[in-house]
Amino acid sequence: MSPTPLQASFAQERLWFLDQLEPGTAAYNLVRAFRVTGPLNVEAMASAFKSVVQRHESLRTVFENVDGSARQIVLSSAKVEMPVLNLTDLPEGERRPEALRIASEQGKKPFDLTTGPLLRTLLLKLDHDQHILVLAMHHIITDGWSISILFRELTQYYEAFIQGKPPELKELPVQYAEFAHWQREFLAGEVLAKQVAYWKQKLANAPTILDLATDHPRPKGHNWQGATEELILDHQVLVALKEFAQAEGATLFMVSLAVFDALLWRYTGQNSILVGTPTAGRSQIEIENLVGFFVNTLVFRADFDPNITFRELVRQVRACALDAYSHQDVPFEKLVEELVPQRSMNTSPLFQVMFTFQNIPKQIFEILGLEMEELEFETGIAKFDLSVEAFEDDRFHCRFEYNTDLFDKATVLRQMTHFRNLILAGLKNPDEPIARISLMDAGELDQTVSDWNNTGADHSKQLRIQSSFEEQAARNPDAIALIYQDQEFTYGTVNEKANQLAHYLNKRGVKSGSLVGVSLERSPELTIALLGVLKTGASYVPLDHSYPVERLASMLEDTEAGCVVSVSGLRDRLPKDVRDLILLDDEKELLGKESVANLVAKTSTAKSERAYVLYTSGSSGRPKGVEGTHRGAMNRMEWMWERYPYQEGEVCCQKTNV
């Protein structure tokens, strides 16, 4: 076939566009590993692969940019080798883990969409009759259903080569490029407009960002790092789920998706939840056995109110699913184009979580004495924030794939427990409001209560506020402590001025345990005054000069404050009968004669632990003084420094409303 540029399908065009944005990403790689048991003919297996590639044009397709759009180029042949890596030199117990590690690494290697090939194979030899066959492909040429087709045909070609006869495979009626052309022609004009109109109406006013709490801030871009954990429910639960689904005229997929929706609602509280789910996209019989990228993504919406029950939610999901399947032809890419014109690089459009019910059985093939069985392993890739893949055998399996940039393993394990608890509670009483179902079991609840109440901390220093400031001043005396308008004050300067005030107050009779009123504008003098009072072992009482004089007089009478620190400009706003008024500006010369050394205050009294007294608003009666302690303040500071550690040069803005 001549390498003429051909139109790409809608799905291919989207993946091509994403590859243009992030060249070399492995996010859309699909990787599978098969254990091959028996006397494998490596040459016949390699030939079988080449034959499958030659049979399906999609497997020898590359892509080029034509006027800003993706175009398929179908090559006449593709060089697909199957190298063999011998692991028999490793100890027997290490061979399989190493093989699966290599399989994972194969899946993370990027593909070049312009040169191809867009698939690669690797055969790992574990023993003379044990191999692991690894296949990695870019999603732009395949999907999960296609991989099943590929391996089914691989076995037929392999047997044909071994037996020396042609394979019994019918000629393909169409190739993928023909499907892409048909799709472009069919999904246009009125047909596309009707489909898009349905989805616009269906998704109207639904939040396209799921407010799911994460363990870590969302990075600015994707790196697609992921991990997987699996929840397995026993046969009895599977039977109960099927019976409930049947009674509601639903499927196991619908019931399990309803549970996932309920979980997300309980976590986010959002009234509408959007979840993506894949559909095979093979409605035409001609493409049933064709390898290619046919899978489409549907967006399922679930709406919640505080009283919705599990049964009501299942019925809602069932109706949504049936409606969505009747409008499944519109490509997800067109929905994104129509509904999310402005997209973010660090979130998936329309939804960030996926739910898949896997109805493709685990692949097991028998080939002339060989047995091929698909293996599960960690790919290390996550396309979405969180994905759940459910499937059944004799039990009910739910695999939680998560972005490790966002979630810790412990969080996902807790999510799985909550998912299980919702299933069991929903089956037990489907008419109970979902909001009343306890996500936690007894063990988690007890542990959580214990953890939340374990707030003890070992504060070995038990510093006073002023002592902590003195330590900082000793470490970095020239560092800037205060900036006021165009003035800068170092820690050393502030500490020395506070020391001079402390010595002066001490001479005026202020001692450990005393109460001292402070009435100053917000200024460096206010900081110096508060530190100076604390350095004497006394406690300060803030006196807001905007308060009525009568209230200030009441506060001074209640505290029996020995003196008040202020400035001459505020003298007229204070009560006339202040016992000892110290005006910082008028007494500046006297203060300047005091020692700049730290004052060693006596702290023998219990009152020395008190740092300040704040008065309530008095809205419920007479204002009351509330004591604040050094220990409480330092406990708060130490928690903040531990929770939000500062780096040198960083500044924190802290505002308190009283």
Side-chain angles (χ1 to χ4, degrees):
M1 179 176 180
S2 174
T4 304
L6 304 168
Q7 277 191 310
S9 68
F10 290 113
Q12 284 181 324
E13 189 168 52
R14 173 168 166 74
L15 288 197
W16 174 84
F17 178 71
L18 292 174
D19 187 76
Q20 299 294 297
L21 292 177
E22 295 185 71
T25 178
Y28 289 93
N29 289 1
L30 299 181
V31 58
R32 298 288 190 273
F34 283 77
R35 179 174 58 202
V36 183
T37 303
L40 175 64
N41 186 319
V42 176
E43 184 179 351
M45 184 63 73
S47 298
F49 255 113
K50 291 176 182 178
S51 297
V52 174
V53 170
Q54 197 61 32
R55 174 174 164 83
H56 295 272
E57 288 183 358
S58 61
L59 299 180
R60 40 192 171 87
T61 296
V62 294
F63 296 82
E64 69 174 26
N65 186 338
V66 177
D67 298 328
S69 297
R71 290 294 184 270
Q72 299 185 69
I73 303 292
V74 180
L75 305 177
S76 58
S77 62
K79 188 177 180 181
V80 179
E81 304 294 338
M82 193 176 71
V84 179
L85 182 59
N86 192 343
L87 300 181
T88 57
D89 290 341
L90 294 175
E92 186 174 352
E94 297 179 13
R95 296 173 193 172
R96 174 166 167 155
E98 176 63 10
L100 295 180
R101 185 197 66 78
I102 293 172
S104 179
E105 291 302 314
Q106 285 289 304
K108 294 174 185 175
K109 292 180 181 178
F111 288 101
D112 187 337
L113 300 189
T114 63
T115 61
L118 301 185
L119 76 160
R120 53 178 169 262
T121 63
L122 178 64
L123 190 64
L124 304 167
K125 184 176 181 180
L126 277 60
D127 209 334
H128 70 281
D129 62 348
Q130 286 285 333
H131 295 77
I132 289 182
L133 177 62
V134 180
L135 172 65
M137 309 173 73
H138 196 286
H139 205 341
I140 202 167
I141 63 167
T142 190
D143 54 25
W145 191 286
S146 294
I147 292 176
S148 297
I149 295 171
L150 187 154
F151 273 93
R152 185 176 68 236
E153 293 188 357
L154 185 70
T155 64
Q156 292 173 282
Y157 274 113
Y158 180 85
E159 287 188 353
F161 281 116
I162 292 295
Q163 295 174 344
K165 62 181 184 181
E168 297 179 1
L169 287 169
K170 294 180 180 179
E171 186 177 348
L172 294 171
V174 295
Q175 290 287 350
Y176 188 83
E178 295 172 86
F179 161 79
H181 178 73
W182 169 86
Q183 184 191 51
R184 293 279 181 176
E185 286 195 334
F186 174 72
L187 290 174
E190 187 176 348
V191 173
L192 180 61
K194 285 183 177 180
Q195 293 263 352
V196 170
Y198 162 79
W199 286 105
K200 279 187 173 181
Q201 183 274 328
K202 182 66 179 176
L203 303 179
N205 301 318
T208 58
I209 298 296
L210 185 67
D211 190 19
L212 189 61
T214 60
D215 296 307
H216 309 286
R218 185 179 297 278
K220 293 181 179 179
H222 283 299
N223 73 5
W224 315 101
Q225 297 293 320
T228 305
E229 299 296 333
E230 185 169 6
L231 170 68
I232 302 176
L233 298 171
D234 61 31
H235 180 71
Q236 287 77 13
V237 175
L238 176 61
V239 170
L241 282 168
K242 286 184 171 182
E243 289 176 349
F244 177 75
Q246 186 176 19
E248 292 298 323
T251 64
L252 187 55
F253 159 72
M254 297 171 185
V255 174
S256 49
L257 173 57
V259 177
F260 189 47
D261 284 333
L263 181 70
L264 297 174
W265 177 57
R266 289 291 301 273
Y267 284 162
T268 66
Q270 292 176 238
N271 292 334
S272 296
I273 302 292
L274 298 185
V275 176
T277 188
T279 182
R282 294 175 183 260
S283 55
Q284 298 84 23
I285 193 170
E286 293 85 356
I287 61 176
E288 185 178 358
N289 295 310
L290 188 62
V291 172
F293 186 16
F294 297 99
V295 67
N296 192 22
T297 302
L298 303 180
V299 186
F300 280 24
R301 174 177 181 168
D303 294 315
F304 291 85
D305 65 65
N307 297 314
I308 190 170
T309 67
F310 183 60
R311 191 190 304 277
E312 290 169 340
L313 180 59
V314 169
R315 291 176 178 176
Q316 183 190 146
V317 170
R318 176 185 180 277
C320 175
L322 294 176
D323 214 14
Y325 289 142
S326 65
H327 296 85
Q328 65 178 297
D329 289 332
V330 61
F332 175 72
E333 295 68 34
K334 296 301 293 182
L335 288 185
V336 172
E337 184 179 308
E338 293 283 342
L339 301 179
V340 195
Q342 293 183 334
R343 298 190 286 278
S344 170
M345 285 293 292
N346 65 348
T347 57
S348 302
L350 292 182
F351 62 86
Q352 293 80 53
V353 294
M354 173 76 82
F355 186 87
T356 304
F357 193 88
Q358 193 60 265
N359 55 9
I360 303 174
K362 189 160 86 169
Q363 307 295 303
I364 300 177
F365 302 109
E366 291 187 2
I367 322 169
L368 293 178
L370 295 180
E371 182 180 286
M372 293 180 63
E373 179 184 5
E374 188 173 359
L375 300 176
E376 300 296 337
F377 64 99
E378 186 68 77
T379 64
I381 297 173
K383 297 183 184 66
F384 299 95
D385 293 359
L386 180 65
S387 300
V388 175
E389 180 186 75
F391 65 95
E392 61 168 307
D393 44 28
D394 190 49
R395 298 177 295 176
F396 187 53
H397 300 254
C398 297
R399 292 200 186 104
F400 282 61
E401 180 185 88
Y402 60 99
N403 187 321
T404 51
D405 277 347
L406 300 178
F407 299 105
D408 293 334
K409 178 179 178 179
T411 297
V412 175
L413 292 175
R414 189 164 57 250
Q415 291 173 352
M416 290 164 55
T417 299
H418 297 167
F419 185 83
R420 180 200 65 199
N421 293 343
L422 277 172
I423 288 178
L424 298 179
L427 290 174
K428 183 178 180 180
N429 185 2
D431 297 309
E432 181 180 12
I434 296 170
R436 296 182 188 173
I437 296 174
S438 175
L439 296 183
M440 299 181 186
D441 53 29
E444 184 187 359
L445 183 59
D446 289 345
Q447 186 63 50
T448 300
V449 171
S450 175
D451 290 345
W452 285 357
N453 283 280
N454 184 19
T455 58
D458 180 18
H459 300 297
S460 56
K461 293 183 179 180
Q462 292 296 342
L463 293 175
R464 298 290 189 270
I465 296 171
Q466 70 276 11
S467 301
S468 181
F469 189 89
E470 289 168 357
E471 285 193 357
Q472 177 66 12
R475 283 192 300 267
N476 295 294
D478 297 325
I480 302 301
L482 292 174
I483 299 176
Y484 180 71
Q485 297 177 352
D486 58 349
Q487 295 178 286
E488 293 182 344
F489 299 82
T490 66
Y491 277 95
T493 299
V494 172
N495 192 52
E496 288 179 354
K497 288 182 176 296
N499 284 338
Q500 289 178 317
L501 176 59
H503 285 287
Y504 189 69
L505 290 172
N506 206 221
K507 289 180 179 178
R508 297 282 286 262
V510 175
K511 302 186 183 305
S512 178
S514 299
L515 286 170
V516 177
V518 177
S519 182
L520 291 165
E521 300 280 2
R522 293 181 180 178
S523 61
E525 287 74 23
L526 177 59
T527 301
I528 291 167
L530 298 181
L531 280 171
V533 172
L534 293 177
K535 283 172 176 282
T536 66
S539 312
Y540 62 84
V541 182
L543 301 174
D544 189 336
H545 52 75
S546 66
Y547 286 173
V549 173
E550 294 78 9
R551 174 167 178 176
L552 297 179
S554 173
M555 293 164 63
L556 289 171
E557 180 184 355
D558 189 44
T559 58
E560 298 181 352
C563 68
V564 174
V565 177
S566 187
V567 290
S568 57
L570 299 176
R571 181 182 226 159
D572 293 339
R573 301 188 190 183
L574 297 172
K576 304 270 186 211
D577 57 351
V578 173
R579 278 188 284 173
D580 188 5
L581 182 61
I582 298 174
L583 302 176
L584 297 180
D585 49 350
D586 286 357
E587 301 174 57
K588 183 177 181 180
E589 186 175 345
L590 293 173
L591 286 166
K593 295 179 181 179
E594 295 293 338
S595 170
V596 297
N598 291 332
L599 177 66
V600 181
K602 296 180 180 179
T603 58
S604 57
T605 66
K607 290 183 178 179
S608 65
E609 173 58 27
R610 181 179 59 195
Y612 54 84
V613 175
L614 298 179
Y615 273 78
T616 63
S617 63
S619 57
S620 60
R622 182 182 174 88
K624 300 177 181 63
V626 179
E627 294 185 346
T629 64
H630 285 272
R631 184 177 181 182
M634 292 305 299
N635 180 61
R636 160 71 183 181
M637 292 299 108
E638 288 194 28
W639 168 83
M640 192 169 74
W641 293 327
E642 181 180 341
R643 183 66 178 84
Y644 306 104
Y646 285 20
Q647 300 296 322
E648 186 174 349
E650 290 184 332
V651 177
C652 172
C653 177
Q654 181 166 311
K655 180 179 179 181
T656 302
N657 293 325
V658 179

